[in-house]
Amino acid sequence: MNDLLLDVREVSKTFVRGRLLSREKIVAVNKVSLQLAARRPEILAIIGESGSGKTTLARMILNMETPTSGRLLLDGTDLATINGSAGRLAFMHRVQPIFQNPFESFNPLKRVERYLLMTRLRFAGTAGGSTTAEAVDAALHKVGLSLREVSGRHPHELSGGQLQRVAIARALLAEPKLIVADEPVSMIDASLRMSIVNLFRTLRDELGISIIYVTHDLATAYYISDRIMIMQKGSVVESGDARDVLKAPRHPYTYQLREAVLLPEVANVSANATSSMNGLISPGTPERRA
Amino acid sequence: MLASVAQPHGDQDVQPLLVVRDLQAYYRTSHAGVRRGIRAVDGVSFTVRRGEIYGLAGESSSGKTTLIKSIAGAIKPPLEIVGGSMEFAFLPGYGGLHRAPRAMVERIRWRHLSYIMQGSMNVLNPVRRIGSSFIDFAYPHIGGSRKQFEQQVVAHLARVRLDPSVLSAFPHELSGGMRQRATLALATICRPGFIIADEPTTALDVVVQKEVLGMIRGIQRETGSSVLFVTHDMGVHAHITDRLAIMYAGRLVEEAATAEIFGNPLHPYTKNLISSLPRIGEDAPRTGLGGAPPNLADPPSGCRFHPRCPLASEICSRKVPVMREARSGHRVACFAVNGDDPA
Ligand SMILES: Nc1ncnc2c1ncn2[C@@H]1O[C@H](COP(=O)(O)OP(=O)(O)OP(=O)(O)O)[C@@H](O)[C@H]1O
Ligand SMILES: Nc1ncnc2c1ncn2[C@@H]1O[C@H](COP(=O)(O)OP(=O)(O)O)[C@@H](O)[C@H]1O
Ligand code: SF4
Ligand SMILES: [Mg+2]
Ligand SMILES: [Mg+2]
């Protein structure tokens, strides 16, 4: 048995973009390392600038993108050595994705329940008694939906939040060990958002699933994650215990992030009214926490 | 909230930009011989004033996008406007974009009204570079020399913190947040009088989000335009909207000045929504609302919130509560607040 579920060793990814004459090299991920222990499931939050490489890193962990340099190992197996459909299926059994924009991640022509039923059938080895439809319905119930409600619908016939919940249910059907969730709750209302992050916690505690939680929502990251990693321009600038990092940031960017969180409350209006000269909100508005 | 400066707020005699009256918008589908109607918007009335940012929040699948699509005239089967009207100041007499002649709607788009859809990829043509999308949509309205236009685009991109190099990229080569900002830049460059935005900042980190909101606020101030802004992020609402409406299961349940909603929420759903928000530094467990979200193909009778409402009484499952002014400028639809309404 391996001690590490996931071992990411100094991975980098470079993209080349633009027209022939004005080619530009973009270092999307720059020498990032991270480990998840096999015996101690945890929720790891990744927070960072828009365009800082979070999705690219997530896609490398999901084996959907090959690193330019560095290695990724799952249960001690190098992802680069996985090939053939059996190998890929076994990998997807262990690691499941939830993508950033559900509108882009579903095939618009395929009915949602077919998608779920097929997913379940593919992973049916562990079905343990329940029928395929029952398993799909049970997974949908965990995210506040039901098979009856989604059946017959195409992805665009569901709301953004519903579709994202379907994506989470789909990931659960594989009974994975690791879920890589890229901004999974950004299109979900606050109340349901809490239900879903609480569900992540239950998955960790009761099913032993580890979760990589990419998010812009610092408050839910604080609320559920064990560890946190802050990224800027492809590199990790700070990492550690989630509460410690967010309560007492060391890196200036972490501090800047925490200070930019918009609080759900309205402070004294007149105190704020003088800001916004050139359209930028003044950096010291008093509605923020000290 | 940064609002309320130099704006004709509460000034009811200025003609509002948009008046929505008793709008009903349903999805009519049939699957395997079973017909069903999803009553996604079911009797919604509100007004967007000139020069205000009107926010819309509410549960996932409560009908926010459907409402916005209806107003923006993006109505495709199976969506149907079943009843009610949407009267725009710049398009008087038609009762909605969907009833206006096509040529007229084309003239209005981008210049008077721009609509940023949820999922934002949709307006960016996947096989055209970002720069070409700007030329396709914005150049016809702005005109001038190509060189001047390019300079204007670059300056505008800077306001959302995008590098000019994105102009030569294809949409899939950008990160989600960069695409969102490109879309926002495209929708605002013609400085339209009315901006309708559905979750336009979900993929942005908080630092960039704050700047982008500042950009929207800046443009809105400079041009006196109105914005209809949908987001789940209550922090964003608190920061940028002037008034805020809360939607639940196809209906508005509460509406007031944003500060009033946060300071003195009256509807039980709104109260739960606000109290469920976690904060950095607070460790108390937070739970979402119990019970499942309602199925709009077969919504609960009476007040649609009654199966999940801690204050529900007998009347709530029998009668539909109407929106009433509980305090000045603060409307709410709830029997526990307004009492039994004989009307
Ligand atoms: N094209 C469609 N055909 C059938 N039903 C649809 C269609 N689009 C949306 N619906 C349904 O209409 C209801 C309202 O959806 P809408 O997208 O308006 O919600 P929303 O409030 O914007 O939610 P979210 O916050 O999750 O984006 C949902 O029950 C949804 O499943
Ligand atoms: N397929 C691609 N081709 C070219 N550049 C890409 C591609 N995918 C991502 N990038 C670039 O890599 C950088 C990081 O993107 P991404 O990982 O999506 O960021 P994040 O998820 O942190 O917002 C961005 O500059 C983006 O434009
Ligand atoms: S009308 Fe009744 S059920 Fe509806 S919110 Fe008020 S108290 Fe609750
Ligand atoms: Mg991303
Ligand atoms: Mg929506």
Side-chain angles (χ1 to χ4, degrees), chain A residues 19 49-50 101 104 151 161 186-187 189-191 194 198 216 222-223 243 257 264-265 275 279 281 287-288, chain B residues 2 36 60 118-119 121 129 179 181 202-205 210 214 232 239 262 277 279 281 283 286 288-289:
Chain A
R19 295 195 172 86
E49 239 180 338
S50 160
N101 187 343
E104 291 169 24
S151 64
S186 58
M187 285 198 206
D189 63 274
S191 167
M194 290 323 288
N198 285 326
H216 292 305
Y222 177 90
Y223 178 78
R243 275 134 211 271
L257 273 176
E265 67 199 19
S275 62
I281 289 156
E287 81 268 26
R288 261 193 264 109
Chain B
L2 296 167
R36 62 177 163 187
S60 167
Q118 185 172 19
M121 260 299 257
R129 296 180 197 273
R179 275 201 297 271
R181 280 177 282 161
T202 45
L204 306 182
D205 66 75
K210 205 164 169 178
H232 285 302
H239 195 74
F262 283 96
L277 301 167
R279 283 160 194 256
D283 298 320
R286 291 277 201 287
L289 198 59

Side-chain angles (χ1 to χ4, degrees), chain A residues 95-113:
Chain A
V95 184
Q96 276 290 310
I98 299 167
F99 293 111
Q100 185 163 356
N101 187 343
F103 292 105
E104 291 169 24
S105 56
F106 279 86
N107 177 345
L109 300 176
K110 223 165 163 184
R111 289 212 162 96
V112 165
E113 89 272 20

Side-chain angles (χ1 to χ4, degrees), chain B residues 233-281:
Chain B
D233 190 327
M234 297 303 280
V236 170
H237 279 301
H239 195 74
I240 194 175
T241 62
D242 299 312
R243 288 195 300 148
L244 179 56
I246 309 292
M247 197 159 174
Y248 184 85
R251 293 182 180 145
L252 292 194
V253 295
E254 186 159 7
E255 177 202 65
T258 304
E260 168 80 3
I261 294 274
F262 283 96
N264 184 27
L266 294 175
H267 195 278
Y269 173 71
T270 314
K271 286 185 178 172
N272 175 280
L273 183 68
I274 288 173
S275 65
S276 67
L277 301 167
R279 283 160 194 256
I280 296 170

Side-chain angles (χ1 to χ4, degrees), chain A residues 153 157 159-162, chain B residues 27 60-66 118 232:
Chain A
R153 302 225 212 162
E157 296 172 341
S159 79
Q162 283 174 326
Chain B
Y27 296 98
S60 167
S61 76
S62 59
K64 302 179 298 299
T65 297
T66 310
Q118 185 172 19
H232 285 302

Side-chain angles (χ1 to χ4, degrees), chain A residues 16-19 22 24 26 48-52 54-55 100-101 103-104 111 113 143-145 148-153 156-157 159-162 165 183 186-195 198 201 216-220 222-223 243 246-247 253 256-269 272-273 275-283 285 287-289, chain B residues 1-5 29 31 36 38 58-61 69 78 118-121 129 132 159 161 163 165-166 168-169 173-179 181 199 202-211 213-215 217-218 221-222 232-236 238-239 258-259 262 269 272-274 276-289 292-295 297-298 308:
Chain A
V16 179
R17 198 167 73 189
R19 295 195 172 86
S22 57
E24 210 194 342
I26 293 158
E49 239 180 338
S50 160
S52 64
K54 305 179 299 294
T55 297
Q100 185 163 356
N101 187 343
F103 292 105
E104 291 169 24
R111 289 212 162 96
E113 89 272 20
V143 294
L145 288 169
R148 195 172 68 98
E149 219 172 318
V150 301
S151 64
R153 302 225 212 162
H156 66 271
E157 296 172 341
S159 79
Q162 283 174 326
R165 286 182 276 151
E183 297 181 37
S186 58
M187 285 198 206
I188 295 180
D189 63 274
S191 167
L192 195 59
R193 188 178 288 207
M194 290 323 288
S195 310
N198 285 326
R201 180 178 279 167
H216 292 305
D217 182 350
L218 277 74
T220 55
Y222 177 90
Y223 178 78
R243 275 134 211 271
L246 288 175
K247 273 190 192 154
Y253 181 63
Q256 200 190 349
L257 273 176
R258 203 195 59 180
E259 293 304 291
V261 171
L262 300 175
L263 287 184
E265 67 199 19
V266 177
N268 190 324
V269 176
N272 276 345
S275 62
S276 181
M277 289 298 298
N278 52 358
L280 289 186
I281 289 156
S282 78
T285 40
E287 81 268 26
R288 261 193 264 109
R289 282 156 19 88
Chain B
M1 189 180 66
L2 296 167
S4 341
V5 227
T29 58
H31 174 56
R36 62 177 163 187
I38 295 166
E59 196 172 37
S60 167
S61 76
K69 277 198 277 193
Q118 185 172 19
S120 77
M121 260 299 257
R129 296 180 197 273
S132 310
R159 293 187 81 170
R161 281 263 220 119
D163 191 85
S165 70
V166 300
S168 59
E173 293 177 324
L174 301 179
S175 77
M178 293 160 107
R179 275 201 297 271
R181 280 177 282 161
E199 306 272 12
T202 45
L204 306 182
D205 66 75
V206 289
V207 175
V208 171
Q209 170 173 274
K210 205 164 169 178
E211 287 178 11
L213 293 175
M215 185 274 294
R217 178 52 103 186
R221 288 243 178 91
E222 287 157 27
H232 285 302
D233 190 327
M234 297 303 280
V236 170
H239 195 74
T258 304
F262 283 96
Y269 173 71
N272 175 280
L273 183 68
I274 288 173
S276 67
L277 301 167
R279 283 160 194 256
I280 296 170
E282 284 176 15
D283 298 320
R286 291 277 201 287
T287 52
L289 198 59
N295 178 355
D298 181 20
R308 303 165 87 184

Side-chain angles (χ1 to χ4, degrees), chain A residues 166-222:
Chain A
V166 169
I168 296 171
R170 199 195 66 99
L172 295 178
L173 287 173
E175 298 175 358
K177 271 300 176 214
L178 173 63
I179 289 180
V180 180
D182 190 358
E183 297 181 37
V185 294
S186 58
M187 285 198 206
I188 295 180
D189 63 274
S191 167
L192 195 59
R193 188 178 288 207
M194 290 323 288
S195 310
I196 285 178
V197 297
N198 285 326
L199 171 68
F200 284 170
R201 180 178 279 167
T202 312
L203 295 176
R204 177 195 67 190
D205 296 344
E206 286 169 18
L207 301 176
I209 300 177
S210 283
I211 294 163
I212 293 183
Y213 174 47
V214 179
T215 188
H216 292 305
D217 182 350
L218 277 74
T220 55
Y222 177 90

Side-chain angles (χ1 to χ4, degrees), chain A residues 12-260:
Chain A
S12 300
K13 177 77 189 179
T14 310
F15 290 108
V16 179
R17 198 167 73 189
R19 295 195 172 86
L20 273 176
L21 292 176
S22 57
R23 286 186 157 239
E24 210 194 342
K25 252 179 135 180
I26 293 158
V27 185
V29 173
N30 189 10
K31 296 205 181 112
V32 169
S33 298
L34 74 95
Q35 280 79 35
L36 294 176
R39 287 195 193 81
R40 192 168 30 81
E42 66 172 320
I43 300 175
L44 169 70
I46 302 181
I47 293 200
E49 239 180 338
S50 160
S52 64
K54 305 179 299 294
T55 297
T56 306
L57 176 62
R59 288 173 59 85
M60 287 193 285
I61 295 171
L62 289 162
N63 209 12
M64 299 171 71
E65 197 87 73
T66 41
T68 313
S69 65
R71 296 174 70 196
L72 297 104
L73 299 98
L74 185 83
D75 301 318
T77 306
D78 194 323
L79 298 194
T81 67
I82 293 175
N83 55 36
S85 52
R88 274 198 293 275
L89 187 66
F91 175 77
M92 282 164 62
H93 219 318
R94 303 282 289 169
V95 184
Q96 276 290 310
I98 299 167
F99 293 111
Q100 185 163 356
N101 187 343
F103 292 105
E104 291 169 24
S105 56
F106 279 86
N107 177 345
L109 300 176
K110 223 165 163 184
R111 289 212 162 96
V112 165
E113 89 272 20
R114 260 206 66 199
Y115 209 75
L116 293 169
L117 294 169
M118 297 304 288
T119 304
R120 183 60 188 185
L121 280 174
R122 279 170 82 196
F123 296 108
T126 49
S130 63
T131 70
T132 308
E134 274 167 11
V136 169
D137 195 44
L140 286 168
H141 271 283
K142 287 195 177 124
V143 294
L145 288 169
S146 65
L147 187 53
R148 195 172 68 98
E149 219 172 318
V150 301
S151 64
R153 302 225 212 162
H154 290 101
H156 66 271
E157 296 172 341
L158 293 168
S159 79
Q162 283 174 326
L163 200 55
Q164 194 57 302
R165 286 182 276 151
V166 169
I168 296 171
R170 199 195 66 99
L172 295 178
L173 287 173
E175 298 175 358
K177 271 300 176 214
L178 173 63
I179 289 180
V180 180
D182 190 358
E183 297 181 37
V185 294
S186 58
M187 285 198 206
I188 295 180
D189 63 274
S191 167
L192 195 59
R193 188 178 288 207
M194 290 323 288
S195 310
I196 285 178
V197 297
N198 285 326
L199 171 68
F200 284 170
R201 180 178 279 167
T202 312
L203 295 176
R204 177 195 67 190
D205 296 344
E206 286 169 18
L207 301 176
I209 300 177
S210 283
I211 294 163
I212 293 183
Y213 174 47
V214 179
T215 188
H216 292 305
D217 182 350
L218 277 74
T220 55
Y222 177 90
Y223 178 78
I224 53 152
S225 33
D226 303 297
R227 258 195 307 155
I228 198 165
M229 228 169 83
I230 312 281
M231 286 182 76
Q232 190 185 23
K233 297 189 176 63
S235 304
V236 176
V237 295
E238 182 164 2
S239 66
D241 178 273
R243 275 134 211 271
D244 293 347
V245 169
L246 288 175
K247 273 190 192 154
R250 295 237 179 91
H251 192 277
Y253 181 63
T254 314
Y255 183 78
Q256 200 190 349
L257 273 176
R258 203 195 59 180
E259 293 304 291

